[in-house]
Amino acid sequence: MEGEPFSLQATPGELPKSISGNIPDPEQDRKTYNLFILYQASRALSAVLEVEELLELSLDMTTEVMNTAWGLFYLMSEEQDALELRKSKGIDAKTIPSSLHLAEGMVDWAKGKMEPFSFDELIPEMPFSRSFPDLRNLTQANPYFLIPIFHQLRFIGLIVLGRRLDGGVFTENDLELLSTLVSLSANAIMNAHLYELAILDGTTKLFVVRYFRQRMREEIKRASRYTQPLTLLMLDLDLFKLVNDTYGHPSGDKVLADVGAIVRKCTREYVDIPCRYGGEEFAVLLPETDTEGGYHVAERIRKMIDKTRFLKENIRITISAGLASYPTDADTDEELVERADLALYEAKRLGRNRVVAHDQSAIHII
Ligand code: GH3
Ligand code: MG
Ligand code: MG
């Protein structure tokens, strides 16, 4: 029955939510069943590119295939000093620790372990309890199994599972399947993570220029094929040097991160392409958008930055923007950048904190 939680004792035809197809009977042919689950899992994982979505899918699959009441997905923090709760399923996230701090020795301990293990096994493992004291806070939730996650021998996370819904215990086969399922997930998650690292700027979380340029070439081709307009915004923070000089470079970086968040908020996810074009310069490509539409987006960004107060000193920052559209202002990506840049220059010249559009004949202010 589609949509029902999947159990290892499922009768043929029962389907887990995240895995579809006719499931072989695990009682009759365990090998075929395992292969089926892993095949479907790898297909499902390869269809997803985003880390957040992959975490959710992995936890869904693990809890469904193992038929557990609930599950938690902890992932290693950027600082590598704690496991952070990234996804929970079937349990109120407020009742469980949002992070598990790693003390010395924990990673080595986990490396020696590498296999799923039951929570009960932990109690006598004193080195583990000592080096991972936060784990005791999980006891209330009554966890059943823990699965350390490794990627190329690096400890990257932990899945915690509750009791099985049918009251059964995990068999050797379950644990083998679980290990392989989790390592498939770990590969997909790390690949997506590395991809995100490669295409996103660390400070602003906007796309890097190299990725932006490639997308711009593709989007111009697409716009030409479907005779659709496309608009490019170039934005530059006003008198930003002053912010650095007054509050220091790290504070300047904090402002850039907040501006990045505003730019993301003001643009369409998965459609528009916002990028950190240079130090404190941004570019946003707006597919299927003409000059008027682009002007509104630029104004939205400009206004939101204008009314936001930054840093603990509550400082005001403004931004100037120039825009140019394909095909009215330019035929190629280089021309588009050049025209939008000219308009931006004009916005600066006219006194900053404004949006200027380039038009085929001349620069003018809307
Ligand atoms: P305006 O654009 O309004 O003409 O003045 P401006 O002071 O912003 O001038 P410009 O755009 O030329 O300034 C660039 C300044 O931005 C120089 C530098 O202090 C700052 N900046 C550039 N990149 C970074 C960065 O990555 N981090 C920080 N904190 N500051 C940066
Ligand atoms: Mg500037
Ligand atoms: Mg600049």
Side-chain angles (χ1 to χ4, degrees):
M1 187 172 32
E2 191 155 5
E4 285 299 301
F6 174 69
S7 136
L8 280 177
Q9 273 72 45
T11 51
E14 272 193 330
L15 300 172
K17 285 191 200 89
S18 52
I19 295 174
S20 56
N22 289 320
I23 292 179
D25 185 354
E27 295 309 317
Q28 299 210 340
D29 189 346
R30 179 105 8 224
K31 263 194 187 156
T32 313
Y33 171 78
N34 285 0
L35 270 177
F36 175 84
I37 295 291
L38 296 173
Y39 170 69
Q40 294 288 23
S42 66
R43 271 180 46 157
L45 289 166
S46 64
V48 179
L49 289 175
E50 304 224 336
V51 172
E52 282 307 308
E53 265 184 71
L54 282 168
L55 292 173
E56 188 158 345
L57 176 64
S58 304
L59 189 59
D60 278 356
M61 289 193 313
T62 314
T63 52
E64 284 165 30
V65 170
M66 293 298 137
N67 192 27
T68 63
W70 54 266
L72 306 171
F73 203 130
Y74 285 93
L75 203 61
M76 189 66 84
S77 65
E78 242 173 71
E79 296 75 26
Q80 309 272 311
D81 60 352
L83 293 173
E84 290 170 342
L85 181 65
R86 296 288 294 269
K87 291 284 169 225
S88 62
K89 194 184 177 211
I91 189 167
D92 182 2
K94 287 196 281 305
T95 64
I96 39 184
S98 59
S99 72
L100 306 169
H101 287 94
L102 295 177
E104 217 174 311
M106 166 58 202
V107 174
D108 289 338
W109 181 89
K111 267 191 187 157
K113 199 99 187 157
M114 281 187 102
E115 296 291 322
F117 55 92
S118 75
F119 198 69
D120 296 343
E121 272 178 62
L122 270 183
I123 311 303
E125 301 254 9
M126 282 316 287
F128 181 81
S129 315
R130 263 206 309 275
S131 61
F132 212 163
D134 285 354
L135 212 51
R136 282 197 215 105
N137 301 334
L138 264 180
T139 314
Q140 262 183 325
N142 198 15
Y144 180 40
F145 249 77
L146 288 93
I147 307 112
I149 309 168
F150 289 87
H151 182 255
Q152 294 174 353
L153 297 180
R154 270 181 59 229
F155 180 47
I156 61 158
L158 186 71
I159 288 182
V160 183
L161 296 176
R163 299 266 154 198
R164 285 182 58 143
L165 285 167
D166 59 9
V169 291
F170 285 173
T171 62
E172 274 296 305
N173 179 74
D174 294 342
L175 297 185
E176 242 173 65
L177 186 58
L178 191 57
S179 290
T180 318
L181 194 61
V182 167
S183 75
L184 278 180
S185 296
N187 267 327
I189 289 165
M190 285 312 284
N191 284 340
H193 174 63
L194 291 175
Y195 183 63
E196 282 177 11
L197 278 183
I199 64 168
L200 295 182
D201 167 61
T203 307
T204 60
K205 308 290 178 217
L206 300 179
F207 293 118
V208 295
V209 181
R210 196 152 56 109
Y211 176 82
F212 180 80
R213 291 221 176 96
Q214 184 195 324
R215 288 292 308 273
M216 185 153 64
R217 284 192 289 273
E218 288 168 13
E219 290 300 332
I220 286 184
K221 273 194 199 139
R222 198 201 305 270
S224 148
R225 199 177 318 133
Y226 298 107
T227 49
Q228 289 276 2
L230 173 154
T231 292
L232 172 69
L233 315 181
M234 297 293 283
L235 306 109
D236 185 294
L237 288 170
D238 296 329
L239 307 174
F240 198 63
K241 193 171 175 310
L242 205 60
V243 174
N244 279 320
D245 292 350
T246 315
Y247 304 98
H249 211 266
S251 292
D253 282 356
K254 172 81 180 56
V255 172
L256 289 175
D258 292 346
V259 169
I262 292 174
V263 172
R264 272 201 311 280
K265 215 178 192 167
C266 293
T267 49
R268 299 168 294 179
E269 200 180 1
Y270 306 121
V271 180
D272 299 333
I273 305 151
C275 140
R276 183 178 186 191
Y277 204 76
E280 36 74 84
E281 268 183 56
F282 303 87
V284 185
L285 193 65
L286 307 163
E288 295 174 29
T289 307
D290 60 12
T291 299
E292 202 187 331
Y295 181 81
H296 288 304
V297 177
E299 267 293 286
R300 207 184 311 147
I301 297 172
R302 186 194 67 77
K303 281 186 184 144
M304 193 175 279
I305 290 175
D306 196 9
K307 72 170 204 274
T308 303
R309 292 295 171 265
F310 297 86
L311 302 177
K312 59 179 187 323
E313 292 86 356
N314 279 326
I315 62 168
R316 179 177 172 228
I317 308 264
T318 60
I319 201 163
S320 298
L323 61 103
S325 304
Y326 172 91
T328 45
D329 303 323
D331 291 325
T332 65
D333 52 336
E334 284 104 353
E335 274 176 19
L336 201 57
V337 171
E338 192 191 302
R339 306 284 143 81
D341 246 344
L342 275 175
L344 169 60
Y345 182 78
E346 189 64 5
K348 293 279 185 189
R349 199 185 63 81
L350 290 167
R352 301 181 170 86
N353 192 23
R354 70 193 63 215
V355 178
V356 172
H358 188 283
D359 132 313
Q360 17 196 175
S361 50
I363 287 179
H364 74 142
I365 313 156
I366 291 183

